[in-house]
Amino acid sequence: MTVDGSVKLTYVVTWREISDGLRIHMRYSPVGRWIFRALWVLVALLGLLSTANLLTRGVDAMGWAAWKLLLALCLFFVAFRWLTALALLAYARHLGEHRVTVDADGISTVSERHTNQTNWGFYGRSVEGRRVFVLLTPDIWGTGVLILPKRGLGTPEDSEQLRSLITKHLAAA
Protein backbone atom coordinates (compact mmCIF):
# COMPACT_ATOMS: atom_id res chain seq x y z
CA MET A 1 0.00 0.00 0.00
CA THR A 2 1.37 3.39 -0.95
CA VAL A 3 0.68 6.57 0.96
CA ASP A 4 1.42 8.76 -2.07
CA GLY A 5 -1.77 7.78 -3.92
CA SER A 6 -5.08 9.55 -3.72
CA VAL A 7 -8.32 8.56 -2.06
CA LYS A 8 -11.70 9.49 -3.46
CA LEU A 9 -14.89 9.87 -1.47
CA THR A 10 -18.36 10.35 -2.95
CA TYR A 11 -21.28 11.04 -0.64
CA VAL A 12 -24.38 13.04 0.15
CA VAL A 13 -24.09 14.30 3.70
CA THR A 14 -26.41 12.86 6.38
CA TRP A 15 -27.56 14.35 9.67
CA ARG A 16 -25.85 11.59 11.67
CA GLU A 17 -22.45 12.30 10.11
CA ILE A 18 -22.71 16.02 10.76
CA SER A 19 -23.87 15.37 14.33
CA ASP A 20 -20.94 13.00 14.93
CA GLY A 21 -18.52 15.53 13.45
CA LEU A 22 -19.88 18.30 15.68
CA ARG A 23 -19.63 16.06 18.74
CA ILE A 24 -16.00 15.31 17.91
CA HIS A 25 -15.33 19.00 17.23
CA MET A 26 -16.83 19.96 20.59
CA ARG A 27 -14.76 17.34 22.38
CA TYR A 28 -11.39 18.04 20.72
CA SER A 29 -11.23 21.80 20.12
CA PRO A 30 -9.96 23.84 23.10
CA VAL A 31 -12.89 26.26 23.19
CA GLY A 32 -15.35 23.43 22.50
CA ARG A 33 -14.11 21.56 25.58
CA TRP A 34 -14.36 24.71 27.68
CA ILE A 35 -17.91 25.47 26.51
CA PHE A 36 -18.98 21.86 27.01
CA ARG A 37 -17.70 21.87 30.59
CA ALA A 38 -19.22 25.29 31.31
CA LEU A 39 -22.62 24.12 30.09
CA TRP A 40 -22.50 21.01 32.27
CA VAL A 41 -21.46 23.09 35.30
CA LEU A 42 -24.41 25.40 34.62
CA VAL A 43 -26.81 22.47 34.34
CA ALA A 44 -25.43 20.94 37.55
CA LEU A 45 -25.75 24.29 39.35
CA LEU A 46 -29.35 24.71 38.19
CA GLY A 47 -30.12 21.17 39.31
CA LEU A 48 -28.48 21.73 42.70
CA LEU A 49 -30.32 25.01 43.28
CA SER A 50 -33.63 23.44 42.26
CA THR A 51 -33.07 20.46 44.55
CA ALA A 52 -32.09 22.71 47.46
CA ASN A 53 -35.17 24.85 46.85
CA LEU A 54 -37.42 21.79 46.75
CA LEU A 55 -35.94 20.33 49.94
CA THR A 56 -36.15 23.56 51.95
CA ARG A 57 -39.40 25.10 50.70
CA GLY A 58 -41.30 22.26 49.08
CA VAL A 59 -42.71 21.74 45.62
CA ASP A 60 -45.10 24.69 45.73
CA ALA A 61 -42.35 27.24 46.43
CA MET A 62 -41.00 27.00 42.90
CA GLY A 63 -43.53 28.45 40.45
CA TRP A 64 -44.68 26.84 37.23
CA ALA A 65 -42.76 29.42 35.19
CA ALA A 66 -39.49 28.48 36.90
CA TRP A 67 -40.11 24.78 36.20
CA LYS A 68 -40.80 25.54 32.54
CA LEU A 69 -37.62 27.62 32.30
CA LEU A 70 -35.53 24.87 33.88
CA LEU A 71 -37.02 22.25 31.55
CA ALA A 72 -36.48 24.47 28.50
CA LEU A 73 -32.82 25.07 29.45
CA CYS A 74 -32.18 21.36 29.92
CA LEU A 75 -33.81 20.53 26.58
CA PHE A 76 -31.81 23.27 24.86
CA PHE A 77 -28.52 21.87 26.21
CA VAL A 78 -29.41 18.42 24.97
CA ALA A 79 -30.73 19.54 21.58
CA PHE A 80 -28.15 22.22 20.73
CA ARG A 81 -25.86 19.91 18.73
CA TRP A 82 -28.82 18.28 17.01
CA LEU A 83 -30.27 21.63 15.96
CA THR A 84 -26.88 22.84 14.73
CA ALA A 85 -26.50 19.63 12.72
CA LEU A 86 -29.92 20.20 11.14
CA ALA A 87 -28.93 23.72 10.11
CA LEU A 88 -25.65 22.50 8.59
CA LEU A 89 -27.45 19.62 6.89
CA ALA A 90 -29.66 22.08 5.01
CA TYR A 91 -26.55 23.85 3.74
CA ALA A 92 -24.75 20.61 2.83
CA ARG A 93 -27.81 19.27 1.00
CA HIS A 94 -28.00 22.53 -0.95
CA LEU A 95 -24.47 21.81 -2.21
CA GLY A 96 -25.55 18.36 -3.43
CA GLU A 97 -23.34 15.30 -3.85
CA HIS A 98 -19.76 15.78 -2.65
CA ARG A 99 -16.82 14.33 -4.54
CA VAL A 100 -13.70 14.66 -2.42
CA THR A 101 -10.16 13.79 -3.45
CA VAL A 102 -7.50 13.50 -0.75
CA ASP A 103 -3.92 13.36 -2.02
CA ALA A 104 -0.42 14.71 -1.32
CA ASP A 105 -1.43 18.23 -2.41
CA GLY A 106 -4.35 18.47 0.02
CA ILE A 107 -8.08 18.01 -0.12
CA SER A 108 -10.19 19.05 -3.07
CA THR A 109 -13.96 19.09 -2.80
CA VAL A 110 -16.29 19.37 -5.77
CA SER A 111 -20.05 19.53 -5.42
CA GLU A 112 -22.87 20.63 -7.70
CA ARG A 113 -22.58 24.25 -6.50
CA HIS A 114 -19.14 24.59 -4.94
CA THR A 115 -15.48 23.77 -5.57
CA ASN A 116 -12.74 24.03 -2.94
CA GLN A 117 -9.05 23.14 -2.69
CA THR A 118 -7.47 23.11 0.79
CA ASN A 119 -3.78 22.53 1.47
CA TRP A 120 -2.64 20.33 4.35
CA GLY A 121 -1.22 23.33 6.21
CA PHE A 122 -4.75 24.56 6.93
CA TYR A 123 -5.51 21.67 9.29
CA GLY A 124 -3.61 20.91 12.47
CA ARG A 125 -4.92 17.51 13.47
CA SER A 126 -7.52 14.87 12.84
CA VAL A 127 -9.79 12.70 14.92
CA GLU A 128 -11.35 9.49 13.70
CA GLY A 129 -14.81 8.53 14.82
CA ARG A 130 -16.86 5.45 14.11
CA ARG A 131 -18.52 6.99 11.04
CA VAL A 132 -16.31 9.95 10.13
CA PHE A 133 -12.83 11.41 9.90
CA VAL A 134 -12.78 14.97 11.26
CA LEU A 135 -10.00 17.41 10.38
CA LEU A 136 -9.60 20.38 12.73
CA THR A 137 -7.73 23.65 12.38
CA PRO A 138 -5.08 24.36 15.03
CA ASP A 139 -6.58 27.67 16.20
CA ILE A 140 -8.05 27.89 19.69
CA TRP A 141 -11.59 28.35 18.36
CA GLY A 142 -11.35 25.33 16.09
CA THR A 143 -13.25 27.23 13.42
CA GLY A 144 -12.15 25.08 10.49
CA VAL A 145 -13.75 21.65 10.47
CA LEU A 146 -13.91 19.12 7.65
CA ILE A 147 -16.04 16.02 8.09
CA LEU A 148 -15.21 13.10 5.80
CA PRO A 149 -17.77 10.27 6.07
CA LYS A 150 -16.30 6.78 5.87
CA ARG A 151 -19.41 5.72 4.00
CA GLY A 152 -18.15 7.73 1.01
CA LEU A 153 -15.10 5.50 0.55
CA GLY A 154 -15.14 2.88 -2.18
CA THR A 155 -13.38 0.00 -0.40
CA PRO A 156 -12.19 -0.86 3.12
CA GLU A 157 -8.60 -0.44 1.90
CA ASP A 158 -9.42 3.19 1.08
CA SER A 159 -10.10 3.82 4.76
CA GLU A 160 -6.63 2.66 5.72
CA GLN A 161 -5.05 4.67 2.89
CA LEU A 162 -7.00 7.80 3.92
CA ARG A 163 -5.89 7.33 7.52
CA SER A 164 -2.27 7.03 6.32
CA LEU A 165 -2.50 10.13 4.13
CA ILE A 166 -4.00 12.19 6.93
CA THR A 167 -1.46 11.01 9.47
CA LYS A 168 1.51 11.59 7.18
CA HIS A 169 0.54 15.03 5.93
CA LEU A 170 -0.79 16.47 9.19
CA ALA A 171 2.35 15.35 11.00
CA ALA A 172 4.42 17.15 8.34
CA ALA A 173 2.30 20.30 8.60
Side-chain angles (χ1 to χ4, degrees), residues 60-105:
D60 295 334
M62 199 165 148
W64 181 242
W67 282 110
K68 288 194 294 189
L69 176 65
L70 182 63
L71 179 63
L73 282 172
C74 290
L75 289 175
F76 176 75
F77 291 141
V78 169
F80 180 74
R81 181 173 38 100
W82 297 341
L83 296 174
T84 304
L86 280 176
L88 290 173
L89 179 63
Y91 173 69
R93 289 278 168 94
H94 170 72
L95 294 177
E97 181 182 71
H98 291 71
R99 291 172 303 284
V100 178
T101 304
V102 181
D103 57 21
D105 295 331

Side-chain angles (χ1 to χ4, degrees), residues 124-142:
R125 63 188 171 135
S126 71
V127 180
E128 183 178 354
R130 190 170 47 149
R131 294 180 187 92
V132 294
F133 288 96
V134 179
L135 302 178
L136 302 166
T137 54
D139 60 308
I140 191 165
W141 296 100

